[in-house]
Amino acid sequence: MTFKNVKNIIVTGSRGFIGKNLVRLLASKGYCVYGIDSKQHLNRHYDYKNQNNENFFKYDISKKRNIEIISSKLKKIKFESFWHFAANSDISKGSNNLDIELRDTFNTTKSSILLAKKLGIKKFVFASSSAIFGQVKKSINENYGPCLPLSNYGAMKLASEGLITSNSDFFDCLFIFRFPNVVGADNTHGLIYDMIKKSKKFKKIPVLGNGLQKKPYIHVLDLINLIFKIYQNKKYNKFNIYNIGPEDKGITVKSIISKLKKLDNFKNKNF
């Protein structure tokens, strides 16, 4: 389904944690979203405030043959931009199996570029990660280097950035957003998600490390509102790269646990 006078956008990974929140925001702003994901939601349509539609395609975009299928279905539609948010969400599995990151993080990027070209989409938005930098103990800007990722996930995000910029001759405008640790509704991984999941199974919840590990976090709604604000700004260049992160220095696992203990679900739990 399409709408008159509505701008069309493609979002890969539309059923993922950040993707779901992004689709809701774009729809609330009046965009018609064409979502692509290998996972099927229970309902075909989301319940949006301004329009009750997301045209959803259940395909594994890492597979080249699916690009031909999707492009044939969408070839008559004019799109404003392509938002590539599909990637592996289970970082620990990807750390032990490079094939997972090659398929779900890098090959999805390659396929997204191919699909954007087939559909003549000249504006490309990519969800990258702070994991491309590796271990850095100081504030850095977008020109920081060399990037020395410590995970297969970070390596494939960095490789994806290179693949996107190497195809820049085709695109009029490229956005690369490097995300920090993100929390919020519909989360599918991470410390808080794992703690909630473990709380349903164990009286004593196991915690890795000494609890002094520290990370900065950003709420998913703050993240997507920020990237949409940047995207809407008409004063952008051909290349637009942004490191996104909160201004605080982060929070320790121990501090997170102390906050969780105040919640009803955790009051009788040991860590």
Side-chain angles (χ1 to χ4, degrees):
M1 184 185 298
T2 57
F3 295 83
K4 291 182 179 180
N5 302 319
V6 172
K7 295 178 180 179
N8 301 304
I9 285 180
I10 290 178
V11 176
T12 67
S14 63
R15 291 299 192 258
F17 164 44
I18 298 175
K20 271 195 252 187
N21 285 280
L22 173 66
V23 168
R24 293 186 189 117
L25 174 68
L26 292 172
S28 73
K29 300 295 184 180
Y31 288 88
C32 184
V33 180
Y34 289 75
I36 303 171
D37 203 303
S38 59
K39 297 177 182 178
Q40 174 70 63
H41 194 267
L42 293 175
N43 300 314
R44 176 173 169 75
H45 303 305
Y46 287 116
D47 183 15
Y48 292 134
K49 183 177 180 181
N50 292 340
Q51 64 186 58
N52 297 313
N53 180 70
E54 174 204 3
N55 295 281
F56 174 66
F57 296 87
K58 185 181 182 297
Y59 288 102
D60 182 351
I61 199 173
S62 70
K63 297 179 179 179
K64 189 175 180 180
R65 66 176 180 269
N66 289 336
I67 301 305
E68 299 297 331
I69 297 171
I70 298 169
S71 62
S72 67
K73 292 176 181 289
L74 302 179
K75 62 184 178 181
K76 294 182 180 180
I77 301 171
K78 182 179 180 181
F79 289 96
E80 179 184 279
S81 56
F82 194 113
W83 296 57
H84 174 42
F85 277 55
N88 172 41
S89 61
D90 194 330
I91 311 304
S92 59
K93 280 188 177 180
S95 296
N96 298 320
N97 188 341
L98 177 58
D99 289 338
I100 291 175
E101 294 298 353
L102 281 170
R103 181 191 68 217
D104 294 345
T105 304
F106 183 75
N107 284 345
T108 56
T109 302
K110 180 179 71 174
S111 294
S112 293
I113 293 170
L114 290 173
L115 182 56
K117 286 184 173 183
K118 282 183 174 293
L119 296 174
I121 304 173
K122 295 291 189 175
K123 190 182 293 185
F124 196 92
V125 183
F126 175 56
S128 189
S129 169
S130 58
I132 69 166
F133 297 114
Q135 189 172 8
V136 181
K137 296 183 178 180
K138 61 180 181 179
S139 297
I140 59 176
N141 61 25
E142 286 74 10
N143 296 319
Y144 174 84
C147 296
L148 302 171
L150 299 177
S151 64
N152 291 332
Y153 174 78
M156 292 302 100
K157 283 292 189 181
L158 182 59
S160 292
E161 287 194 14
L163 190 62
I164 291 166
T165 57
S166 69
N167 283 271
S168 61
D169 286 348
F170 172 80
F171 297 104
D172 293 335
C173 179
L174 296 170
F175 287 92
I176 295 176
F177 295 104
R178 295 164 178 161
F179 295 170
N181 300 288
V182 187
V183 294
D186 297 316
N187 203 340
T188 57
H189 59 281
L191 174 64
I192 296 175
Y193 173 84
D194 289 340
M195 288 293 175
I196 293 172
K197 190 175 180 180
K198 289 175 182 177
S199 71
K200 297 176 181 178
K201 295 176 62 177
F202 305 107
K203 177 72 175 177
K204 184 174 182 178
I205 303 173
V207 178
L208 298 176
N210 60 8
L212 299 179
Q213 309 95 305
K214 180 187 286 188
K215 288 183 179 180
Y217 293 86
I218 189 171
H219 194 277
V220 65
L221 296 183
D222 292 331
L223 174 72
I224 61 172
N225 277 288
L226 175 60
I227 62 176
F228 183 72
K229 183 177 181 180
I230 294 171
Y231 172 80
Q232 276 194 312
N233 184 358
K234 301 302 181 183
K235 297 180 180 179
Y236 46 68
N237 304 308
K238 183 181 178 70
F239 294 98
N240 304 274
I241 302 176
Y242 296 89
N243 296 343
I244 297 177
E247 293 183 349
D248 63 88
K249 295 182 179 180
I251 184 171
T252 64
V253 173
K254 191 174 181 179
S255 297
I256 292 173
I257 290 172
S258 68
K259 293 180 182 296
L260 289 175
K261 284 181 177 179
K262 297 177 182 179
L263 303 177
D264 290 339
N265 290 348
F266 291 89
K267 283 183 177 177
N268 298 318
K269 301 290 183 179
N270 296 314
F271 293 83

